[in-house]
Amino acid sequence: MTEAQILEQLRTVNDPELHKDLVSLNMVKGISIKDNGIVAIAIELTTPACPLKDQIRRDIESAVRQLGEEVQGIEIEFTANVQASPQQKAAENNPLPGVKNIVAVGAGKGGVGKSTVAVNLAVGLARQGASVGLMDGDIYGPSLPTMLGLDKHTAYMSTEKRIVPFGEHGIKSMTIGKLVDPGKALIWRGPMAHGAFQRLATQTDWGDLDYLIIDLPPGTGDVPLTMSQILPLAGAVVVCTPQKVAQDDARRAIAMFQQLNIAVLGVVENMSYFIGDDGKEYDIFGRDGAQAMAQELNIPVLGAIPINMALRRNSDSGDPTSNFTGDGKLAEELEVLVKNFAACISVEVLGGDQRQPTLTISG
Ligand code: ADP
């Protein structure tokens, strides 16, 4: 058995989502054979939150075992290197060159759980090992001070006159709610909101990040337009509830992103169902409504989060980490959402690199 033979076997293993083999994708970072016949393989994934890690592990094991009895065991070490989005790479005068993927979380209307999803995506990605920032772009109604438990924290400027983000829950975060009197933020007019968003985005010292999640205001106002003008977005996620009437709002949000030339990466169905004390699942709002809409619009559904009292409690008490450590369906569904989100960005990034440039010729 040689390392070259092992490499050949790895050429037969495809990344299940990128539909190319691990060698062509440059994911194999090391192969060695130890004296006792143990094969050690180092694999670099495109995200630490890869949902298909176990499947890739199984596929590698079965491919390498085909080399016969000389293989006494297989050790696979996974690392991750998140790639920057094509939008990020192509951006001129990029205000955030250290951020690999900027993704907005929007919703057609307020109260559907947009901030809840943004917070849990950010914390969930960080728990998987990614470096993550969360910006409260909801200038008119910032929720992050409460949801991240920032009450006792004070924002300050670095010696370079940049806003230093908070570091709670393993993520970098910043919100207008900690920079001005939150009551005042609500009455800002368009140009002031524009300025506030711009300062939060570009004057916060985000540093190097794999993902920067932006919690947008609900609806289709000025802030998304400002955002699209100053930041190179990798894409957006739209949160909605399952009811038929909620779909119309979500469609408007989706149309807005598309008009702004921001790819809609997926839809998240929040308050999808309720689990009673008896363990039974109740479809209060008619589960899967978002699914039907997403299918029709050809957009993936990234997750379905149940109505859950602990989630509401943890949000109110600024303790998002407990959403992931409690047992039961909530943690499970959040983990699925986080991994689907990370995977769809990886696919988008790779797909984006392979996309043919288009040339518009006028005249
Ligand atoms: P939005 O950002 O869309 O206005 P929020 O994320 O602020 O909505 O959520 C509104 C309220 O609903 C918050 O109190 C939040 O804790 C609660 N909430 C959101 N999603 C759920 C859920 N799945 N289960 C229970 N409460 C939820």
Side-chain angles (χ1 to χ4, degrees):
M1 172 173 60
T2 64
E3 287 164 13
Q5 283 175 310
I6 297 168
L7 188 70
E8 279 317 300
Q9 286 307 105
L10 293 178
R11 282 189 200 283
T12 68
V13 178
N14 270 4
D15 180 294
E17 241 159 7
L18 301 173
H19 305 297
K20 269 181 149 191
D21 73 272
L22 303 183
V23 180
S24 309
L25 287 167
N26 201 19
M27 287 164 73
V28 181
K29 294 296 171 187
I31 298 173
S32 60
I33 305 164
K34 297 184 182 171
D35 290 344
N36 50 3
I38 305 275
V39 174
I41 299 170
I43 298 291
E44 187 181 79
L45 301 167
T46 51
T47 172
C50 178
L52 299 162
K53 208 186 278 184
D54 291 338
Q55 188 181 338
I56 294 173
R57 181 190 297 279
R58 282 195 301 272
D59 291 351
I60 290 175
E61 285 171 352
S62 79
V64 173
R65 286 210 186 278
Q66 284 179 18
L67 290 173
E69 284 175 8
E70 267 186 274
V71 180
Q72 291 295 309
I74 302 162
E75 291 171 0
I76 305 168
E77 188 203 353
F78 286 106
T79 54
N81 182 15
V82 176
Q83 304 292 313
S85 69
Q87 295 85 346
Q88 191 68 22
K89 286 184 193 157
E92 287 170 20
N93 303 321
N94 189 345
L96 301 179
V99 179
K100 292 178 177 171
N101 294 280
I102 307 176
V103 181
V105 178
K109 62 172 179 177
V112 298
K114 171 185 52 57
S115 300
T116 306
V117 167
V119 165
N120 286 286
L121 268 180
V123 172
L125 287 165
R127 286 175 60 81
Q128 297 287 330
S131 51
V132 186
L134 174 61
M135 176 179 142
D136 196 347
D138 195 346
I139 303 294
Y140 304 103
S143 310
L144 293 203
T146 301
M147 288 194 175
L148 296 180
L150 302 174
D151 307 357
K152 294 201 171 67
H153 293 65
T154 310
Y156 64 96
M157 305 284 266
S158 67
T159 43
E160 290 86 31
K161 294 263 182 297
R162 293 176 67 79
I163 307 167
V164 179
F166 301 104
E168 297 304 292
H169 316 291
I171 59 172
K172 291 182 181 173
S173 64
M174 188 39 66
T175 167
I176 198 78
K178 296 300 296 182
L179 300 177
V180 298
D181 178 350
K184 282 197 186 125
L186 288 168
I187 56 167
W188 285 5
R189 283 169 298 139
M192 291 162 82
H194 174 93
F197 183 93
Q198 184 163 24
R199 291 187 64 180
L200 270 184
T202 62
Q203 291 183 17
T204 300
D205 194 5
W206 295 112
D208 293 336
L209 294 177
D210 293 327
Y211 307 99
L212 175 62
I213 310 287
I214 299 182
D215 181 15
L216 283 176
T220 53
D222 297 338
V223 170
L225 180 62
T226 295
M227 177 182 74
S228 71
Q229 287 165 347
I230 59 175
L231 296 177
L233 269 280
V237 168
V238 172
V239 180
C240 69
T241 50
Q243 309 93 309
K244 193 107 180 71
V245 284
Q247 309 304 317
D248 297 338
D249 297 304
R251 279 172 205 270
R252 271 193 289 277
I254 290 168
M256 172 194 73
F257 285 123
Q258 288 167 341
Q259 245 177 338
L260 295 173
N261 235 341
I262 297 171
V264 178
L265 301 172
V267 169
V268 179
E269 184 171 274
N270 187 28
M271 310 194 194
S272 188
Y273 57 97
F274 171 77
I275 305 167
D277 288 342
D278 52 5
K280 259 170 76 180
E281 297 182 5
Y282 295 89
D283 297 349
I284 294 181
F285 294 141
R287 190 170 177 165
D288 291 344
Q291 184 113 28
M293 176 196 69
Q295 223 160 31
E296 192 192 312
L297 298 175
N298 209 11
I299 295 170
V301 175
L302 301 178
I305 304 172
I307 299 173
N308 184 279
M309 291 213 327
L311 175 58
R312 203 271 310 141
R313 231 182 2 249
N314 295 335
S315 301
D316 279 354
S317 63
D319 178 23
T321 300
S322 291
N323 295 329
F324 293 87
T325 54
D327 48 25
K329 204 78 179 180
L330 176 65
E332 205 179 296
E333 296 279 25
L334 287 177
E335 217 122 272
V336 168
L337 165 65
V338 166
K339 289 184 174 176
N340 281 343
F341 173 87
C344 92
I345 292 181
S346 292
V347 171
E348 188 70 18
V349 165
L350 219 99
D353 273 350
Q354 290 173 336
R355 245 173 244 150
Q356 293 292 315
T358 53
L359 200 61
T360 311
I361 301 168
S362 57

PDB file of all heavy atoms in Angstrom, residues 22-54:
ATOM      1  N   LEU A  22     -12.899  14.587  -3.751  1.00  0.00           N
ATOM      2  CA  LEU A  22     -12.167  15.314  -2.708  1.00  0.00           C
ATOM      3  C   LEU A  22     -10.808  15.807  -3.181  1.00  0.00           C
ATOM      4  O   LEU A  22     -10.333  16.852  -2.752  1.00  0.00           O
ATOM      5  CB  LEU A  22     -11.978  14.406  -1.485  1.00  0.00           C
ATOM      6  CG  LEU A  22     -13.245  13.829  -0.843  1.00  0.00           C
ATOM      7  CD1 LEU A  22     -12.889  13.009   0.392  1.00  0.00           C
ATOM      8  CD2 LEU A  22     -14.217  14.941  -0.474  1.00  0.00           C
ATOM      9  N   VAL A  23     -10.193  15.047  -4.109  1.00  0.00           N
ATOM     10  CA  VAL A  23      -8.854  15.434  -4.582  1.00  0.00           C
ATOM     11  C   VAL A  23      -8.969  16.654  -5.498  1.00  0.00           C
ATOM     12  O   VAL A  23      -8.254  17.637  -5.326  1.00  0.00           O
ATOM     13  CB  VAL A  23      -8.168  14.248  -5.294  1.00  0.00           C
ATOM     14  CG1 VAL A  23      -6.784  14.653  -5.783  1.00  0.00           C
ATOM     15  CG2 VAL A  23      -8.081  13.052  -4.354  1.00  0.00           C
ATOM     16  N   SER A  24      -9.898  16.605  -6.437  1.00  0.00           N
ATOM     17  CA  SER A  24     -10.083  17.765  -7.342  1.00  0.00           C
ATOM     18  C   SER A  24     -10.479  19.006  -6.566  1.00  0.00           C
ATOM     19  O   SER A  24     -10.144  20.121  -6.948  1.00  0.00           O
ATOM     20  CB  SER A  24     -11.175  17.509  -8.375  1.00  0.00           C
ATOM     21  OG  SER A  24     -10.964  16.309  -9.010  1.00  0.00           O
ATOM     22  N   LEU A  25     -11.234  18.809  -5.486  1.00  0.00           N
ATOM     23  CA  LEU A  25     -11.674  19.954  -4.684  1.00  0.00           C
ATOM     24  C   LEU A  25     -10.565  20.466  -3.755  1.00  0.00           C
ATOM     25  O   LEU A  25     -10.781  21.404  -3.003  1.00  0.00           O
ATOM     26  CB  LEU A  25     -12.906  19.574  -3.847  1.00  0.00           C
ATOM     27  CG  LEU A  25     -14.217  19.433  -4.625  1.00  0.00           C
ATOM     28  CD1 LEU A  25     -15.271  18.744  -3.766  1.00  0.00           C
ATOM     29  CD2 LEU A  25     -14.726  20.786  -5.094  1.00  0.00           C
ATOM     30  N   ASN A  26      -9.400  19.812  -3.833  1.00  0.00           N
ATOM     31  CA  ASN A  26      -8.247  20.224  -3.021  1.00  0.00           C
ATOM     32  C   ASN A  26      -8.539  20.119  -1.511  1.00  0.00           C
ATOM     33  O   ASN A  26      -8.059  20.919  -0.715  1.00  0.00           O
ATOM     34  CB  ASN A  26      -7.854  21.660  -3.391  1.00  0.00           C
ATOM     35  CG  ASN A  26      -6.431  21.952  -3.001  1.00  0.00           C
ATOM     36  OD1 ASN A  26      -5.644  21.015  -2.791  1.00  0.00           O
ATOM     37  ND2 ASN A  26      -6.097  23.231  -2.860  1.00  0.00           N
ATOM     38  N   MET A  27      -9.349  19.118  -1.177  1.00  0.00           N
ATOM     39  CA  MET A  27      -9.714  18.954   0.231  1.00  0.00           C
ATOM     40  C   MET A  27      -8.772  17.983   0.967  1.00  0.00           C
ATOM     41  O   MET A  27      -8.806  17.895   2.197  1.00  0.00           O
ATOM     42  CB  MET A  27     -11.165  18.462   0.340  1.00  0.00           C
ATOM     43  CG  MET A  27     -12.176  19.569   0.014  1.00  0.00           C
ATOM     44  SD  MET A  27     -13.853  18.970  -0.327  1.00  0.00           S
ATOM     45  CE  MET A  27     -14.409  18.508   1.272  1.00  0.00           C
ATOM     46  N   VAL A  28      -7.969  17.237   0.206  1.00  0.00           N
ATOM     47  CA  VAL A  28      -7.053  16.291   0.853  1.00  0.00           C
ATOM     48  C   VAL A  28      -5.759  17.028   1.185  1.00  0.00           C
ATOM     49  O   VAL A  28      -5.043  17.474   0.297  1.00  0.00           O
ATOM     50  CB  VAL A  28      -6.759  15.087  -0.076  1.00  0.00           C
ATOM     51  CG1 VAL A  28      -5.834  14.095   0.616  1.00  0.00           C
ATOM     52  CG2 VAL A  28      -8.061  14.420  -0.496  1.00  0.00           C
ATOM     53  N   LYS A  29      -5.480  17.179   2.459  1.00  0.00           N
ATOM     54  CA  LYS A  29      -4.328  17.989   2.865  1.00  0.00           C
ATOM     55  C   LYS A  29      -3.178  17.150   3.399  1.00  0.00           C
ATOM     56  O   LYS A  29      -2.100  17.687   3.675  1.00  0.00           O
ATOM     57  CB  LYS A  29      -4.761  19.007   3.942  1.00  0.00           C
ATOM     58  CG  LYS A  29      -5.741  20.045   3.425  1.00  0.00           C
ATOM     59  CD  LYS A  29      -5.082  20.918   2.351  1.00  0.00           C
ATOM     60  CE  LYS A  29      -6.108  21.799   1.676  1.00  0.00           C
ATOM     61  NZ  LYS A  29      -5.570  22.544   0.539  1.00  0.00           N
ATOM     62  N   GLY A  30      -3.377  15.865   3.540  1.00  0.00           N
ATOM     63  CA  GLY A  30      -2.278  15.030   4.018  1.00  0.00           C
ATOM     64  C   GLY A  30      -2.671  13.567   4.031  1.00  0.00           C
ATOM     65  O   GLY A  30      -3.822  13.225   4.306  1.00  0.00           O
ATOM     66  N   ILE A  31      -1.703  12.708   3.658  1.00  0.00           N
ATOM     67  CA  ILE A  31      -1.921  11.253   3.731  1.00  0.00           C
ATOM     68  C   ILE A  31      -0.645  10.661   4.305  1.00  0.00           C
ATOM     69  O   ILE A  31       0.452  10.986   3.850  1.00  0.00           O
ATOM     70  CB  ILE A  31      -2.143  10.647   2.323  1.00  0.00           C
ATOM     71  CG1 ILE A  31      -3.394  11.235   1.663  1.00  0.00           C
ATOM     72  CG2 ILE A  31      -2.241   9.124   2.400  1.00  0.00           C
ATOM     73  CD1 ILE A  31      -3.576  10.797   0.219  1.00  0.00           C
ATOM     74  N   SER A  32      -0.767   9.802   5.293  1.00  0.00           N
ATOM     75  CA  SER A  32       0.431   9.088   5.743  1.00  0.00           C
ATOM     76  C   SER A  32       0.048   7.685   6.205  1.00  0.00           C
ATOM     77  O   SER A  32      -1.094   7.448   6.607  1.00  0.00           O
ATOM     78  CB  SER A  32       1.143   9.862   6.851  1.00  0.00           C
ATOM     79  OG  SER A  32       0.277  10.015   7.941  1.00  0.00           O
ATOM     80  N   ILE A  33       1.021   6.796   6.092  1.00  0.00           N
ATOM     81  CA  ILE A  33       0.786   5.415   6.539  1.00  0.00           C
ATOM     82  C   ILE A  33       1.692   5.172   7.742  1.00  0.00           C
ATOM     83  O   ILE A  33       2.914   5.308   7.648  1.00  0.00           O
ATOM     84  CB  ILE A  33       1.116   4.409   5.409  1.00  0.00           C
ATOM     85  CG1 ILE A  33       0.311   4.760   4.149  1.00  0.00           C
ATOM     86  CG2 ILE A  33       0.834   2.983   5.858  1.00  0.00           C
ATOM     87  CD1 ILE A  33       0.823   4.106   2.888  1.00  0.00           C
ATOM     88  N   LYS A  34       1.075   4.847   8.843  1.00  0.00           N
ATOM     89  CA  LYS A  34       1.878   4.614  10.049  1.00  0.00           C
ATOM     90  C   LYS A  34       2.401   3.174  10.034  1.00  0.00           C
ATOM     91  O   LYS A  34       1.878   2.318   9.302  1.00  0.00           O
ATOM     92  CB  LYS A  34       1.022   4.881  11.288  1.00  0.00           C
ATOM     93  CG  LYS A  34       0.566   6.337  11.366  1.00  0.00           C
ATOM     94  CD  LYS A  34      -0.202   6.597  12.649  1.00  0.00           C
ATOM     95  CE  LYS A  34      -0.684   8.045  12.683  1.00  0.00           C
ATOM     96  NZ  LYS A  34      -1.608   8.291  13.787  1.00  0.00           N
ATOM     97  N   ASP A  35       3.426   2.919  10.862  1.00  0.00           N
ATOM     98  CA  ASP A  35       4.093   1.599  10.864  1.00  0.00           C
ATOM     99  C   ASP A  35       3.134   0.434  11.078  1.00  0.00           C
ATOM    100  O   ASP A  35       3.284  -0.632  10.512  1.00  0.00           O
ATOM    101  CB  ASP A  35       5.160   1.565  11.980  1.00  0.00           C
ATOM    102  CG  ASP A  35       6.319   2.477  11.613  1.00  0.00           C
ATOM    103  OD1 ASP A  35       6.411   2.842  10.413  1.00  0.00           O
ATOM    104  OD2 ASP A  35       7.094   2.838  12.517  1.00  0.00           O
ATOM    105  N   ASN A  36       2.128   0.687  11.895  1.00  0.00           N
ATOM    106  CA  ASN A  36       1.199  -0.419  12.208  1.00  0.00           C
ATOM    107  C   ASN A  36       0.071  -0.557  11.187  1.00  0.00           C
ATOM    108  O   ASN A  36      -0.940  -1.207  11.443  1.00  0.00           O
ATOM    109  CB  ASN A  36       0.629  -0.230  13.616  1.00  0.00           C
ATOM    110  CG  ASN A  36       0.088   1.183  13.805  1.00  0.00           C
ATOM    111  OD1 ASN A  36       0.105   1.986  12.856  1.00  0.00           O
ATOM    112  ND2 ASN A  36      -0.419   1.480  14.986  1.00  0.00           N
ATOM    113  N   GLY A  37       0.222   0.076  10.015  1.00  0.00           N
ATOM    114  CA  GLY A  37      -0.778  -0.069   8.951  1.00  0.00           C
ATOM    115  C   GLY A  37      -1.977   0.834   9.102  1.00  0.00           C
ATOM    116  O   GLY A  37      -3.000   0.655   8.424  1.00  0.00           O
ATOM    117  N   ILE A  38      -1.868   1.800   9.980  1.00  0.00           N
ATOM    118  CA  ILE A  38      -2.965   2.765  10.145  1.00  0.00           C
ATOM    119  C   ILE A  38      -2.791   3.883   9.117  1.00  0.00           C
ATOM    120  O   ILE A  38      -1.707   4.455   8.988  1.00  0.00           O
ATOM    121  CB  ILE A  38      -2.960   3.405  11.563  1.00  0.00           C
ATOM    122  CG1 ILE A  38      -2.993   2.337  12.656  1.00  0.00           C
ATOM    123  CG2 ILE A  38      -4.076   4.441  11.699  1.00  0.00           C
ATOM    124  CD1 ILE A  38      -4.346   1.823  13.034  1.00  0.00           C
ATOM    125  N   VAL A  39      -3.839   4.174   8.386  1.00  0.00           N
ATOM    126  CA  VAL A  39      -3.802   5.240   7.382  1.00  0.00           C
ATOM    127  C   VAL A  39      -4.336   6.523   8.021  1.00  0.00           C
ATOM    128  O   VAL A  39      -5.441   6.518   8.567  1.00  0.00           O
ATOM    129  CB  VAL A  39      -4.683   4.865   6.166  1.00  0.00           C
ATOM    130  CG1 VAL A  39      -4.776   6.021   5.179  1.00  0.00           C
ATOM    131  CG2 VAL A  39      -4.146   3.616   5.495  1.00  0.00           C
ATOM    132  N   ALA A  40      -3.521   7.587   7.976  1.00  0.00           N
ATOM    133  CA  ALA A  40      -3.967   8.879   8.535  1.00  0.00           C
ATOM    134  C   ALA A  40      -4.218   9.846   7.385  1.00  0.00           C
ATOM    135  O   ALA A  40      -3.365  10.028   6.513  1.00  0.00           O
ATOM    136  CB  ALA A  40      -2.918   9.434   9.481  1.00  0.00           C
ATOM    137  N   ILE A  41      -5.408  10.415   7.369  1.00  0.00           N
ATOM    138  CA  ILE A  41      -5.794  11.317   6.267  1.00  0.00           C
ATOM    139  C   ILE A  41      -6.266  12.638   6.867  1.00  0.00           C
ATOM    140  O   ILE A  41      -7.049  12.659   7.815  1.00  0.00           O
ATOM    141  CB  ILE A  41      -6.941  10.688   5.432  1.00  0.00           C
ATOM    142  CG1 ILE A  41      -6.465   9.369   4.816  1.00  0.00           C
ATOM    143  CG2 ILE A  41      -7.413  11.641   4.345  1.00  0.00           C
ATOM    144  CD1 ILE A  41      -7.570   8.559   4.171  1.00  0.00           C
ATOM    145  N   ALA A  42      -5.774  13.746   6.310  1.00  0.00           N
ATOM    146  CA  ALA A  42      -6.231  15.074   6.752  1.00  0.00           C
ATOM    147  C   ALA A  42      -7.121  15.662   5.667  1.00  0.00           C
ATOM    148  O   ALA A  42      -6.723  15.758   4.505  1.00  0.00           O
ATOM    149  CB  ALA A  42      -5.043  15.985   7.012  1.00  0.00           C
ATOM    150  N   ILE A  43      -8.333  16.027   6.047  1.00  0.00           N
ATOM    151  CA  ILE A  43      -9.302  16.570   5.097  1.00  0.00           C
ATOM    152  C   ILE A  43      -9.676  17.985   5.520  1.00  0.00           C
ATOM    153  O   ILE A  43     -10.021  18.221   6.682  1.00  0.00           O
ATOM    154  CB  ILE A  43     -10.593  15.708   5.067  1.00  0.00           C
ATOM    155  CG1 ILE A  43     -10.290  14.285   4.610  1.00  0.00           C
ATOM    156  CG2 ILE A  43     -11.681  16.339   4.195  1.00  0.00           C
ATOM    157  CD1 ILE A  43      -9.902  14.132   3.165  1.00  0.00           C
ATOM    158  N   GLU A  44      -9.604  18.900   4.565  1.00  0.00           N
ATOM    159  CA  GLU A  44     -10.002  20.279   4.857  1.00  0.00           C
ATOM    160  C   GLU A  44     -11.373  20.543   4.240  1.00  0.00           C
ATOM    161  O   GLU A  44     -11.545  20.502   3.031  1.00  0.00           O
ATOM    162  CB  GLU A  44      -8.977  21.254   4.269  1.00  0.00           C
ATOM    163  CG  GLU A  44      -9.240  22.687   4.676  1.00  0.00           C
ATOM    164  CD  GLU A  44      -8.215  23.626   4.056  1.00  0.00           C
ATOM    165  OE1 GLU A  44      -8.366  23.943   2.860  1.00  0.00           O
ATOM    166  OE2 GLU A  44      -7.281  24.012   4.757  1.00  0.00           O
ATOM    167  N   LEU A  45     -12.335  20.803   5.109  1.00  0.00           N
ATOM    168  CA  LEU A  45     -13.703  21.064   4.652  1.00  0.00           C
ATOM    169  C   LEU A  45     -13.872  22.551   4.323  1.00  0.00           C
ATOM    170  O   LEU A  45     -13.036  23.373   4.708  1.00  0.00           O
ATOM    171  CB  LEU A  45     -14.698  20.664   5.746  1.00  0.00           C
ATOM    172  CG  LEU A  45     -14.651  19.201   6.188  1.00  0.00           C
ATOM    173  CD1 LEU A  45     -15.452  19.003   7.473  1.00  0.00           C
ATOM    174  CD2 LEU A  45     -15.182  18.286   5.089  1.00  0.00           C
ATOM    175  N   THR A  46     -14.986  22.867   3.647  1.00  0.00           N
ATOM    176  CA  THR A  46     -15.218  24.272   3.284  1.00  0.00           C
ATOM    177  C   THR A  46     -15.946  25.021   4.401  1.00  0.00           C
ATOM    178  O   THR A  46     -16.127  26.225   4.316  1.00  0.00           O
ATOM    179  CB  THR A  46     -16.060  24.370   2.001  1.00  0.00           C
ATOM    180  OG1 THR A  46     -17.219  23.554   2.173  1.00  0.00           O
ATOM    181  CG2 THR A  46     -15.279  23.914   0.794  1.00  0.00           C
ATOM    182  N   THR A  47     -16.362  24.303   5.434  1.00  0.00           N
ATOM    183  CA  THR A  47     -16.955  24.948   6.610  1.00  0.00           C
ATOM    184  C   THR A  47     -16.852  24.004   7.797  1.00  0.00           C
ATOM    185  O   THR A  47     -17.010  22.780   7.637  1.00  0.00           O
ATOM    186  CB  THR A  47     -18.438  25.333   6.375  1.00  0.00           C
ATOM    187  OG1 THR A  47     -18.982  25.790   7.627  1.00  0.00           O
ATOM    188  CG2 THR A  47     -19.274  24.173   5.859  1.00  0.00           C
ATOM    189  N   PRO A  48     -16.584  24.535   8.990  1.00  0.00           N
ATOM    190  CA  PRO A  48     -16.544  23.652  10.159  1.00  0.00           C
ATOM    191  C   PRO A  48     -17.921  23.102  10.503  1.00  0.00           C
ATOM    192  O   PRO A  48     -18.043  22.125  11.231  1.00  0.00           O
ATOM    193  CB  PRO A  48     -16.033  24.564  11.282  1.00  0.00           C
ATOM    194  CG  PRO A  48     -16.301  25.955  10.832  1.00  0.00           C
ATOM    195  CD  PRO A  48     -16.276  25.935   9.337  1.00  0.00           C
ATOM    196  N   ALA A  49     -18.969  23.733   9.954  1.00  0.00           N
ATOM    197  CA  ALA A  49     -20.338  23.285  10.250  1.00  0.00           C
ATOM    198  C   ALA A  49     -20.859  22.373   9.133  1.00  0.00           C
ATOM    199  O   ALA A  49     -22.039  22.397   8.814  1.00  0.00           O
ATOM    200  CB  ALA A  49     -21.253  24.499  10.425  1.00  0.00           C
ATOM    201  N   CYS A  50     -19.970  21.587   8.551  1.00  0.00           N
ATOM    202  CA  CYS A  50     -20.360  20.739   7.410  1.00  0.00           C
ATOM    203  C   CYS A  50     -21.347  19.658   7.860  1.00  0.00           C
ATOM    204  O   CYS A  50     -21.034  18.850   8.734  1.00  0.00           O
ATOM    205  CB  CYS A  50     -19.126  20.092   6.800  1.00  0.00           C
ATOM    206  SG  CYS A  50     -19.505  18.995   5.442  1.00  0.00           S
ATOM    207  N   PRO A  51     -22.538  19.608   7.264  1.00  0.00           N
ATOM    208  CA  PRO A  51     -23.521  18.624   7.713  1.00  0.00           C
ATOM    209  C   PRO A  51     -23.194  17.216   7.226  1.00  0.00           C
ATOM    210  O   PRO A  51     -23.784  16.253   7.681  1.00  0.00           O
ATOM    211  CB  PRO A  51     -24.824  19.128   7.066  1.00  0.00           C
ATOM    212  CG  PRO A  51     -24.409  19.959   5.910  1.00  0.00           C
ATOM    213  CD  PRO A  51     -23.045  20.502   6.227  1.00  0.00           C
ATOM    214  N   LEU A  52     -22.257  17.112   6.281  1.00  0.00           N
ATOM    215  CA  LEU A  52     -22.014  15.815   5.656  1.00  0.00           C
ATOM    216  C   LEU A  52     -20.699  15.177   6.092  1.00  0.00           C
ATOM    217  O   LEU A  52     -20.201  14.267   5.457  1.00  0.00           O
ATOM    218  CB  LEU A  52     -22.048  15.991   4.131  1.00  0.00           C
ATOM    219  CG  LEU A  52     -23.403  16.510   3.648  1.00  0.00           C
ATOM    220  CD1 LEU A  52     -23.306  17.087   2.267  1.00  0.00           C
ATOM    221  CD2 LEU A  52     -24.443  15.401   3.694  1.00  0.00           C
ATOM    222  N   LYS A  53     -20.174  15.696   7.213  1.00  0.00           N
ATOM    223  CA  LYS A  53     -18.890  15.193   7.700  1.00  0.00           C
ATOM    224  C   LYS A  53     -18.932  13.676   7.910  1.00  0.00           C
ATOM    225  O   LYS A  53     -18.027  12.957   7.502  1.00  0.00           O
ATOM    226  CB  LYS A  53     -18.581  15.902   9.032  1.00  0.00           C
ATOM    227  CG  LYS A  53     -17.113  16.038   9.327  1.00  0.00           C
ATOM    228  CD  LYS A  53     -16.882  16.608  10.706  1.00  0.00           C
ATOM    229  CE  LYS A  53     -16.988  18.111  10.767  1.00  0.00           C
ATOM    230  NZ  LYS A  53     -16.661  18.656  12.102  1.00  0.00           N
ATOM    231  N   ASP A  54     -20.006  13.198   8.526  1.00  0.00           N
ATOM    232  CA  ASP A  54     -20.086  11.762   8.833  1.00  0.00           C
ATOM    233  C   ASP A  54     -20.171  10.939   7.556  1.00  0.00           C
ATOM    234  O   ASP A  54     -19.570   9.874   7.446  1.00  0.00           O
ATOM    235  CB  ASP A  54     -21.297  11.471   9.733  1.00  0.00           C
ATOM    236  CG  ASP A  54     -21.082  12.041  11.126  1.00  0.00           C
ATOM    237  OD1 ASP A  54     -19.909  12.262  11.497  1.00  0.00           O
ATOM    238  OD2 ASP A  54     -22.086  12.291  11.824  1.00  0.00           O
TER     239      ASP A  54
END
